[in-house]
């Protein structure tokens, strides 16, 4: 499972990095050192994500421990999209509150600073986590499969959405058209523009899929801009900076 998670990361991030090179030539210019660091941390995270995933897969197939089901008729068909939403909302809730916890100064310095050292993040930064942070992310879906019934295909869709959002929210440009980002859907769904604000200001926009918790808790600070992020990063690279953010206030 570690191999699967690692390959999934390399293929997905690599594909979107290639798309970035085609759609936004030069966007990652001067960020080679940062990108290699992102890849190394992400592959280490893949090893951590693979452990609980492997235990769940073994427990499901060998012992039937989980509530994953393979017979599509085991639950009503209307439950398929409901289960996907339940998993996404539960994951988003977990992510929001653990992410806010990671911005407590002590835990930011210990763990979350690894992720925020990507300034700006690239398509390779989706899993660039300290092991502590990787562990908090690795356990949530494996825990949910013991509590909420889900078809194996719907679970695959949840994992696909998780991977897609994790990569596209960090790649430094908006994959969705403006009418989506600025429209009704964009007011509730998180896209790269929303997450960019978090990487710019730190103390806001903590969600993963939905803006629900940010709006409810008063931490939604709207959409960010990509215009200055990459030029600032290239300027740091030209002056030999390594992306460290020691002493940065995690609350903005």
């Amino acid at each position: 499972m570690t191999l699967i998670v690692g390959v999934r990361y390399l293929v997905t991030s690599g594909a979107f990095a290639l798309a970035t090179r085609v759609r936004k030539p030069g966007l990652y210019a001067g960020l080679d050192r940062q990108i290699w660091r992102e890849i190394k941390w992400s592959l280490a995270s893949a090893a951590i994500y693979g452990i609980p995933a492997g235990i769940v897969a073994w427990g499901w197939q060998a012992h039937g421990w989980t509530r994953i089901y393979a017979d599509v008729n085991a639950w009503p068909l209307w439950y398929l999209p409901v289960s996907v939403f339940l998993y996404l909302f539960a994951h988003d809730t977990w992510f929001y509150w653990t992410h806010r916890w990671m911005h407590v100064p002590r835990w930011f310095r210990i763990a979350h600073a690894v992720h925020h050292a990507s300034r700006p993040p690239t398509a390779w930064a989706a899993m660039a986590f300290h092991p502590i942070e990787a562990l908090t992310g690795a356990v949530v879906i494996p825990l949910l499969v013991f509590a909420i019934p889900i078809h194996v295909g719907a679970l695959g869709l949840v994992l696909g959405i998780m991977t897609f959002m994790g990569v596209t929210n960090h790649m430094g440009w908006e994959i969705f058209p403006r009418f989506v980002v600025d429209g009704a859907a964009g007011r509730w769904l998180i896209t790269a523009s929303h997450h960019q604000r978090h990487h710019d200001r730190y103390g806001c926009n903590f969600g993963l899929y939905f803006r629900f918790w940010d709006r409810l808790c008063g931490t939604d600070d709207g959409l960010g801009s990509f215009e200055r992020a990459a030029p600032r990063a290239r300027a740091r690279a030209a002056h030999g900076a390594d992306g460290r953010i020691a002493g940065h206030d995690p609350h903005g």
Side-chain angles (χ1 to χ4, degrees):
M1 290 303 297
T2 291
L3 181 62
I4 290 173
V5 175
V7 170
R8 183 184 69 185
Y9 158 75
L10 290 172
V11 170
T12 307
S13 289
F16 281 105
L18 180 60
T20 300
R21 178 175 293 185
V22 173
R23 291 290 304 275
K24 304 288 182 177
L27 185 64
Y28 297 164
L31 301 181
D32 291 354
R33 185 177 180 183
Q34 174 184 307
I35 288 171
W36 280 115
R37 185 192 59 79
E38 291 170 347
I39 292 172
K40 287 187 288 186
W41 280 112
S42 294
L43 291 177
S45 295
I48 295 172
Y49 271 74
I51 294 170
I55 293 171
V56 165
W58 169 74
W60 169 53
Q61 293 185 328
H63 301 285
W65 288 344
T66 73
R67 305 202 70 185
I68 301 171
Y69 62 94
D71 180 2
V72 73
N73 296 311
W75 284 75
L77 291 180
W78 58 261
Y79 180 70
L80 286 173
V82 170
S83 65
V84 171
F85 175 77
L86 289 174
Y87 269 67
L88 293 178
F89 186 76
H91 187 196
D92 189 68
T93 300
W94 175 276
F95 184 90
Y96 177 85
W97 290 106
T98 56
H99 193 185
R100 284 196 68 172
W101 169 62
M102 283 288 170
H103 277 262
V104 172
R106 177 172 183 265
W107 289 107
F108 185 91
R109 290 191 298 269
I110 292 173
H112 197 47
V114 166
H115 186 66
H116 276 281
S118 295
R119 303 174 63 200
T122 76
W124 298 102
M127 294 179 65
F129 303 133
H130 185 279
I132 293 174
E133 184 169 4
L135 185 61
T136 68
V139 298
V140 57
I141 299 296
L143 289 175
L144 287 175
V145 299
F146 290 96
I148 303 175
I150 190 166
H151 185 267
V152 63
L155 179 59
L157 177 60
V158 169
L159 295 175
I161 293 172
M162 178 181 72
T163 303
F164 175 84
M165 296 291 281
V167 175
T168 60
N169 283 353
H170 289 92
M171 65 182 182
W173 56 283
E174 187 60 77
I175 194 171
F176 294 101
R178 295 311 308 178
F179 74 85
V180 172
V181 177
D182 296 330
R187 286 194 288 272
W188 292 102
L189 297 177
I190 290 174
T191 67
S193 299
H194 187 266
H195 196 63
Q196 180 66 32
R197 178 79 79 181
H198 174 75
H199 278 269
D200 284 342
R201 299 190 178 180
Y202 288 56
C204 61
N205 296 14
F206 295 105
L208 176 60
Y209 305 119
F210 310 116
R211 295 172 68 171
F212 172 79
W213 287 108
D214 276 310
R215 287 181 175 275
L216 184 66
C217 298
T219 55
D220 194 302
D221 196 27
L223 305 182
S225 170
F226 305 113
E227 298 303 319
R228 294 188 301 273
R232 284 200 304 263
R234 287 194 288 271
R236 285 194 299 272
H239 287 84
D242 61 3
R244 289 175 295 181
I245 49 176
H248 191 97
D249 179 2
H251 296 290

